[in-house]
Structures are given as structure tokens and as C-alpha cells.
Amino acid sequence: MTQNAWMRWPSPEALGRAGISRPRRMLAWAVRLFALAILLWGAFDSSRVHGWVTVVGGIGVVVAGVLAWALYRTTFQHRLWPSLGILLALLGLAVGAETLGFRGPALVLWCGCAITALERLPLAAALPTASVALASYAAVNNDVWLTTAATTVGLALAGYVLRLDAEARGSAQRLLAQERAARAAEAESAALAERARIAREIHDVLAHSLSAQLVHLEAARLLIERGAGRDQILERVVAARGMARDGLDETRQALSALRGELTPLEDFLSQLVDTSAGAQVTITGERRQLPAEASQAVRRVAQEALTNVRKHAPGAKVRVRLDYSDHQVTLDVRDSGGTPGELAGAGAGYGLLGMRERAELLGGSLEAGPDEEGFAVTLKVPV
């Protein structure tokens, strides 16, 4: 046993009342009341003491009770020297009781001091104190030496067992407090992560929808500046209106996703591409339900990639391939290239950057750049 173990106090949780069941508290109070009854019986037994001695005995009982309460407070506060002083006072009170003829109370005080010291003090202070108390008990006790020795050893073991029990209870209380703190931290972290996910969903929906509207509204502005015909301008305005309507639909889909009501990913991609304009969707691998975050990442990247095709290569043929493998899902969007549109420079250009950040948060990757024909966007997300 190391020096730290000898000098270590029982924890405040071990010395406190938290974690003690109601039956055990009732048993502890029954023991205290029994000890008090012995003290009172010894102090007021008229067959043994009379007159002023009885008064002194009553005062001694009161003083012993006050000192015992103070000892529990000082040991709970880990104040060594005040605790040792109170124990010394109690041992002296026991000697005085024995001198005046109160043997029963004296024996109770010596036994109580020994058990309390072993239970509530550092072992370096508890062992000498308990030894003095038990030696006094053995010297005064009238039983045969074998009975006295057995009782002394039993009291010492009882005090140490109570100490071990209190420390086990204190450890359980600390573990319970740590578990509650960990659960609270986990709940807070989950709430923060959920708020971040909601913020990303709202941002992605608005960024995609508003970017698509900006494409057509900017085209309408350019047409007006060039004096284009009414029908051309109206076509762009109607397209912007359609994008606004699509943005509302996407917002509803995002809200459904946040509630866990996602439509199948394959159906979403089929609805997203415009097959009449030469876009096609290919699904390979064994289809399965993806986690919400992975599914949303695929949806948002597909939307952003198709928006970029409309901006930078209008009229180009688009091939969308979704591949399910054992440990990841891959989305590949490629266009055949074409003449840059009127709004090739419109927008801030942060869409794919946001998609790459989303993929990296999920442990995946996103690659975007020119290929042999046009432009390719490849998303890989582990599942």
C-alpha cells in the first residue's frame, strides 16, 4: 500500500449520505439510538451512581453527542487535526466515564471511536487512534481474554469493512455523476450536430434554388439590355418562376428528410434529370437504404452538378450514374460539353466547394473538373 493510500481520505461521496438506501439509513439510526440508550442507562442508573455524579453523567452524554456530530462534520470536510482533537476529547471522556463508574458508556465510546476512525480517517491516522481506543477497551473489559480479543478484532474488521463499503458507494456515486455528465454532454453534442445539419440543409436548398433563379433572371436582364424580343424575355422569367416553384418543392423535401421521410434516392434522381433534353440516369450495384446524411449529400451534389451544366453548358447531354458498392456509394455526373452559356460567370462559384465540405464531413470525397468531353463531378461517400 503506497504512501498516498495511507494519507488519502475517503471521498466526500463516501463520507456523505448520498446513495445510502432508506433501510440502511434506518439501520444506522437504530444503532445510534441503541448506543445513546446505553449511554443514558449508564448515566442515570441509580443503583450505581447517585447525586452529582448522575448530573455529571448526563452532561457527559450531551457533550459526547455534540462531539460525535462535530466529528462527522470535520471528517466530511477532511480536516485532520480538528478530527483528531475531537477523537482525543471523546477518548478522554471515556476515561472520565470509567473513572466515575460509567463502564458501559466508556466501552461504547471506545468502540465507537475505533470504528469511526477506521471508517472516516486516513489510515495513517486511523490505525493509531483505533489501536488506542481498542487497547483501552480490552484493558477495561471484564470478559475472558479470548472473548475480549475476538471482540477487539471484530470491531477492527467492522470499522475497515465499513470503510470499504463507503468507498465503494462513493465510487459508484462518482461514476453515476460522470455518466450523467457524459450523457448531458452527448445530448448537447447531438443537439449541436442536428442544428448544424439543419443549417446545412437550409443553406444548400436556398443556395441551389436561388442560384438557379439567378441564372434565368440574369439572362432576362441581358436580353432586355440587348433589346431582345418579348417572347425570349418572358421565357426566362417563366423559367425563373419555375425554379422558384422547384425551390419550394426542394424545401419541402428537405423538411421531409429532416423528419426521416426521404423519398427513394433513385426516384429523386429520375425526377431531377430532364430525360427529354438528353439526360439519363444509370443505377448499378445492389440498391439499399442509405443513412440520411449520405442520401442528402448525394441529392445536393446531383442538384448542384446539374445546375452547373445548365449554367456552363446548356444543351449538353448529361449522364448520371449512381453506383452502390460494399462500403460506399458513388455519384458520377458528366456532361458532353458545349458552348458556354450566357451566364457562365454568374454566381459566386461556392456550390461545389460547399458540396466538397459536406462530403469531407462524412469521411468521403468530391472531385470536380474537366474530362475528355466536358465536365465531371464524382462524389464518394462511405456507408
Side-chain angles (χ1 to χ4, degrees), residues 46-382:
S46 58
S47 64
R48 298 177 58 190
V49 293
H50 306 280
W52 66 272
V53 178
T54 303
V55 176
V56 172
I59 296 174
V61 171
V62 175
V63 172
V66 173
L67 290 175
W69 175 84
L71 178 62
Y72 275 80
R73 297 300 304 171
T74 56
T75 52
F76 181 77
Q77 297 168 0
H78 291 179
R79 299 167 60 190
L80 180 60
W81 293 111
S83 300
L84 291 176
I86 294 172
L87 279 170
L88 182 61
L90 286 170
L91 291 175
L93 191 63
V95 172
E98 171 64 21
T99 303
L100 294 176
F102 299 107
R103 175 162 296 181
L107 295 177
V108 171
L109 285 174
W110 279 320
C111 295
C113 288
I115 293 176
T116 303
L118 290 172
E119 180 184 3
R120 302 180 69 87
L121 288 179
L123 289 177
L127 291 179
T129 304
S131 298
V132 171
L134 293 176
S136 301
Y137 166 81
V140 173
N141 191 28
N142 292 329
D143 294 335
V144 297
W145 70 270
L146 185 59
T147 303
T148 301
T151 304
T152 302
V153 173
L155 290 172
L157 290 176
Y160 191 67
V161 168
L162 288 174
R163 180 191 188 91
L164 295 179
D165 179 72
E167 289 182 343
R169 177 169 49 83
S171 298
Q173 290 298 310
R174 288 194 300 274
L175 290 176
L176 180 61
Q178 292 172 2
E179 182 180 359
R180 289 173 177 172
R183 288 182 178 178
E186 183 180 356
E188 183 178 359
S189 176
L192 291 175
E194 184 65 15
R195 285 198 290 268
R197 186 168 80 93
I198 293 173
R200 285 197 303 270
E201 293 302 325
I202 294 176
H203 171 270
D204 291 344
V205 168
L206 291 178
H208 170 74
S209 175
L210 294 178
S211 176
Q213 293 176 54
L214 178 63
V215 170
H216 293 286
L217 291 176
E218 185 67 12
R221 184 186 67 81
L222 294 175
L223 290 172
I224 292 174
E225 290 179 352
R226 297 172 183 176
R230 178 177 179 276
D231 292 340
Q232 289 181 305
I233 298 173
L234 182 60
E235 179 183 357
R236 292 295 184 176
V237 173
V238 171
R241 176 178 177 274
M243 290 298 175
R245 183 173 58 250
D246 293 341
L248 289 176
D249 293 338
E250 292 174 10
T251 302
R252 295 189 185 97
Q253 291 175 3
L255 293 176
S256 297
L258 292 173
R259 291 193 296 264
E261 301 172 358
L262 287 170
T263 57
L265 184 56
E266 299 80 9
D267 296 342
F268 174 84
L269 293 177
S270 298
Q271 296 171 4
L272 183 63
V273 301
D274 185 1
T275 55
S276 63
Q280 61 180 7
V281 178
T282 303
I283 309 295
T284 59
E286 183 179 355
R287 303 184 184 187
R288 61 181 182 275
Q289 185 72 27
L290 299 180
E293 285 284 348
S295 178
Q296 284 298 92
V298 173
R299 294 163 194 257
R300 295 293 171 252
V301 170
Q303 288 176 328
E304 181 65 28
L306 293 176
T307 299
N308 287 339
V309 171
R310 287 193 294 267
K311 288 172 58 177
H312 299 279
K317 294 183 178 180
V318 182
R319 298 189 303 275
V320 179
R321 182 175 64 87
L322 181 66
D323 176 62
Y324 292 96
S325 61
D326 293 337
H327 303 292
Q328 72 177 14
V329 60
T330 302
L331 173 71
D332 187 77
V333 182
R334 298 175 182 268
D335 64 70
S336 61
T339 304
E342 296 176 331
L343 301 178
Y350 295 121
L352 289 177
L353 178 61
M355 294 300 100
R356 182 174 289 108
E357 292 176 351
R358 175 191 280 268
E360 291 174 352
L361 285 174
L362 297 175
S365 63
L366 184 140
E367 297 178 358
D371 66 350
E372 296 178 355
E373 296 182 353
F375 198 83
V377 176
T378 303
L379 169 71
K380 296 180 180 180
V381 179

Side-chain angles (χ1 to χ4, degrees), residues 28-53:
W29 276 108
V31 172
R32 295 189 185 102
L33 291 176
F34 178 73
L36 180 61
I38 293 178
L39 291 174
L40 292 174
W41 176 262
F44 297 102
D45 185 7
S46 58
S47 64
R48 298 177 58 190
V49 293
H50 306 280
W52 66 272
V53 178

